[in-house]
Every structure is written in structure tokens, then in C-alpha cells.
Amino acid sequence: MRRTIVTGGAGFIGSHTCVELLAAGIEPVIVDDLRNSEERVLEGLEKITGRKPVIHRIDCTDAQALNKVFAAERPDSVIHFAADKAVGESVRDPLKYYHNNIGSLATLLRTMAKHGIKDIVFSSSCTVYGEGDKLPVTEDSRTGAAASPYGYTKVVCEQMLRDASAADADLCVVMLRYFNPIGAHPSAHIGELPIGVPNNLVPFITQAAAGLRDKLTVFGNDYPTRDGSCIRDYIHVVDLAKAHVLALQWIAKQNAPLCEVFNLGTGQGNTVLEAVHTFEEVNGVKVPFVIGPRRPGDVVAMYADTAKSLKVLGWRTERTLADSMRDAWRWQQALGK
Ligand code: UFG
């Protein structure tokens, strides 16, 4: 069986990707120190796949520890999810973000080189487009003007991969720019585990609906959009996970060095209020909310042109916003907290 190192494999997108890798006959080897996850994700993975996940609990900036993992596991490829991702925290503590997110990728690339591993799939974000020079954004849209230190770490990591690729004639790099990943595995055994008060919309919606939060604040209804709230491209995490498998399989088929970037979104933009109402309709549950001021740093609208992902990877989303909201609510109920 082919083996891939999955850094951050106990995280939200990483754990769903482990499920899809196994389903495709690729063995995931998780590298995750669980700083932003919990044991229950590993238990959930076992319930879904029937296999105990292989995990090495190390920090990806620890070169010695990473070297030992590569020596012991002899992977064929790497999918690199591990990163800090809280936009607000990155503004307060930027050095943590530059150190961890950029340091872990540099360490990983050096370790890969040492062990002759050439294939890497990297978690990037639509944050690299900033405001977006046109909508929907294509992979060729201008990048580089991110709105936060977190966003800049993704910009720098993408550049690091391009430079590493230019310097190494054998490297195969796929960078995946995620739009807004939401939802959970339909089994409700794995999903998102926000720490403290959620920053992101959907975990806040599910917690407000469950009575764990007083009410959701919709950040602004005076934007130039159809109902005044911001537009995002919300993508089901299982659809997103499947794209990673296709990316690895595509790299293997090329048999040539490459450095490519793909948008992973649905291609559909939905407003915050549409997201809230879809949740209410599909689950038959009310979401208490108020309209508040705009959140600094939010872009008005962002959604993906997905033509390249479809044409090259053969990837398209199969799940709707309603599916995502149903699965997010099932997961919230399973969490019971
Ligand atoms: N929102 C609310 N209330 C909330 C939370 C969010 O109204 O309590 C709104 C936001 O203003 C935004 C939308 O819901 O309009 C989505 O917000 P999220 O925080 O869920 O997602 P973002 O689009 O801000 O963030 C996402 C990723 C980040 C990435 C960023 C780049 O989660 O990792 O896109 O744009 F950096």
C-alpha cells in the first residue's frame, strides 16, 4: 500500500482526508502533536475506517523528530496541513504564525529532500487573493495582499514551494487553495473542534443553535451584496478531502516535476444570511442572531472559479450547502457540548 505522511492529520480537514485516503487504498501516517485537536478525532477515525490510525505526536518544526518519522515510515508522499489558523490570534501574535507555519514547511521540505521524497500537497487558502481582483477568482488572479499575518504565512509558503520547486528538478508540488471549509463527516464521528469561542461562522451557528452561545452576530449587513452580508464559497469538508486524494493520484500519473495550484471551492457564493437561513431550514432549528458591525479585515465577497480543478484533477463538489449544514448540525449534536 502507498503511504503518505499527513501532517495535521488529526485536524479538521486532515482527519477527513485520512478517511478518503484509506478509501482510495493509500495509508495515511499522521504527524500531529494534537495541540489543536483531541483524542476523540482518532477514535472517530477508527470508528469510520475500522483501523487504528498511525500517529506520531511531534511538532513539525522539530527536524530531528521529523527525520526519525521519515526514516521509520518511508512514505511515498506528504500532505502538509499542520499550521496555526486563527486569523485574530495571528494579528496578536504574528511571530508564532511566522515561526510555526513557515518553519514547519521549511523543515518538512528539507526532511523530504534528505529522504528522497518528491511529492507534496500543500494546504493553502483563498486568503492569498486578498480582496480578489475579479470574481470568481481564478488561480491566475493576483495574490500577495493578504489581510492578516496568517494570510501572509500562506503567501510565503506558496512562494517557498515555488522556489524549492525551481531549485529541485524532481519536486512535485500541488498547492490547494481552500475557500470556506464547513460541514462534517456524515457519520458524525469526526468534525471541526473549535477551541473556545469559535471565530468561524458555521461552528458559531451550530453552537448558537445548540444554546451554547447566546446569539450569533452577523458582522455587517451594509455590504454591497444582495442582502448586505458578506459572500463566501462554503465547501463541504468531505468534497475538499477527496480533492487531496485526486491531487496525489494526479501527481503520480504525471511522472514529471511540477508545481501547480488549484482552487477548491464550489464556485457558488452565499451570503452570511443565506448560510444562516439554510441551516435553519434544513435542520428545522432556529439560530438566534443579531446584526452587528463589520469585522475588520473581512473581504466583501470571495468565491472560486473551479474550472481548472475540474479540467485537470477531474474534481467537482458533490455536496450542497444544505448537506454541509445538516452534517455540521449532526456533528454538533454528537459533540454534546
Ligand atoms: N461571520 C459572522 N459572524 C461570526 C463569524 C463569521 O457574521 O460570528 C461572517 C464573517 O464576517 C464572514 C463569514 O461569516 O463574512 C465567514 O467568516 P469565517 O470566519 O467563517 O470565514 P472567513 O471567510 O473570514 O475565513 C476564511 C478561513 C480563514 C481564511 C479566510 C481568508 O476560515 O482561514 O477565509 O479570507 F484566512
Side-chain angles (χ1 to χ4, degrees), residues 162-186:
R162 278 186 213 102
D163 292 342
S165 162
D168 178 344
D170 294 325
L171 207 56
C172 295
V173 177
V174 165
M175 303 183 275
L176 301 176
R177 291 181 182 150
Y178 310 150
F179 284 68
N180 286 56
I182 61 166
H185 196 267

Side-chain angles (χ1 to χ4, degrees), residues 127 150 180 199-201 217-219 230 232 234 295 298:
T127 193
Y150 160 77
N180 286 56
N199 295 306
N200 296 117
L201 178 65
T217 300
V218 172
F219 297 138
C230 291
R232 294 289 182 275
Y234 296 99
R295 182 172 69 176
D298 269 341

Side-chain angles (χ1 to χ4, degrees), residues 43-329:
E43 290 158 17
L45 279 175
E46 193 173 352
K47 281 187 195 142
I48 296 169
T49 66
R51 298 171 63 138
K52 214 175 175 53
V54 179
I55 176 165
H56 295 271
R57 295 177 193 213
I58 60 157
D59 180 333
C60 287
T61 60
D62 183 342
Q64 271 187 347
L66 208 53
N67 189 44
K68 278 192 196 148
V69 171
F70 273 71
E73 298 286 358
R74 305 190 158 276
D76 301 291
S77 58
V78 174
I79 308 180
H80 183 44
F81 292 103
D84 290 318
K85 61 172 186 179
V87 173
E89 185 191 44
S90 80
V91 175
R92 293 189 298 277
D93 191 358
L95 298 185
K96 172 178 173 183
Y97 278 69
Y98 285 106
H99 180 265
N100 289 348
N101 292 4
I102 293 169
S104 63
L105 179 60
T107 308
L108 191 60
L109 286 170
R110 282 193 152 160
T111 312
M112 286 173 62
K114 194 165 165 185
H115 292 266
I117 312 303
K118 297 298 180 188
D119 300 353
I120 179 167
V121 174
F122 175 69
S123 285
S124 191
S125 164
C126 66
T127 193
V128 300
Y129 295 119
E131 279 283 348
D133 54 5
K134 58 174 188 237
L135 285 174
V137 286
T138 67
E139 288 81 354
D140 297 329
S141 296
R142 191 167 14 105
T143 62
S148 67
Y150 160 77
Y152 277 109
T153 68
K154 293 295 179 189
V155 171
V156 173
C157 284
E158 283 198 0
Q159 190 58 42
M160 191 192 310
L161 285 162
R162 278 186 213 102
D163 292 342
S165 162
D168 178 344
D170 294 325
L171 207 56
C172 295
V173 177
V174 165
M175 303 183 275
L176 301 176
R177 291 181 182 150
Y178 310 150
F179 284 68
N180 286 56
I182 61 166
H185 196 267
S187 66
H189 290 315
I190 54 173
E192 197 168 359
L193 285 172
I195 291 173
V197 181
N199 295 306
N200 296 117
L201 178 65
V202 174
F204 207 108
I205 289 178
T206 62
Q207 291 195 7
L212 301 173
R213 304 278 158 210
D214 223 21
K215 47 179 139 12
L216 168 76
T217 300
V218 172
F219 297 138
N221 68 346
D222 56 353
Y223 285 100
T225 62
R226 47 188 175 265
D227 61 22
S229 61
C230 291
I231 291 178
R232 294 289 182 275
D233 185 337
Y234 296 99
I235 172 171
H236 196 294
V237 65
V238 172
D239 280 332
L240 195 61
K242 285 176 185 288
H244 295 75
V245 177
L246 290 174
L248 276 187
Q249 291 169 336
W250 179 73
I251 292 176
K253 263 196 288 187
Q254 301 315 301
N255 216 2
L258 55 93
C259 185
E260 286 291 337
V261 58
F262 296 97
N263 281 343
L264 297 182
T266 65
Q268 296 282 323
N270 282 102
T271 69
V272 175
L273 290 169
E274 286 165 357
V276 171
H277 296 318
T278 302
F279 179 91
E280 292 185 322
E281 274 159 32
V282 74
N283 295 311
V285 186
K286 281 279 162 209
V287 178
F289 72 88
V290 291
I291 305 293
R294 293 181 177 194
R295 182 172 69 176
D298 269 341
V299 301
V300 181
M302 179 54 60
Y303 52 96
D305 183 310
T306 57
K308 183 179 177 189
S309 305
L310 175 61
K311 185 166 170 235
V312 179
L313 299 178
W315 175 84
R316 60 155 57 91
T317 55
E318 289 166 357
R319 290 153 188 82
T320 62
L321 182 62
D323 294 332
S324 297
M325 292 305 191
R326 184 201 59 223
D327 292 337
W329 182 229

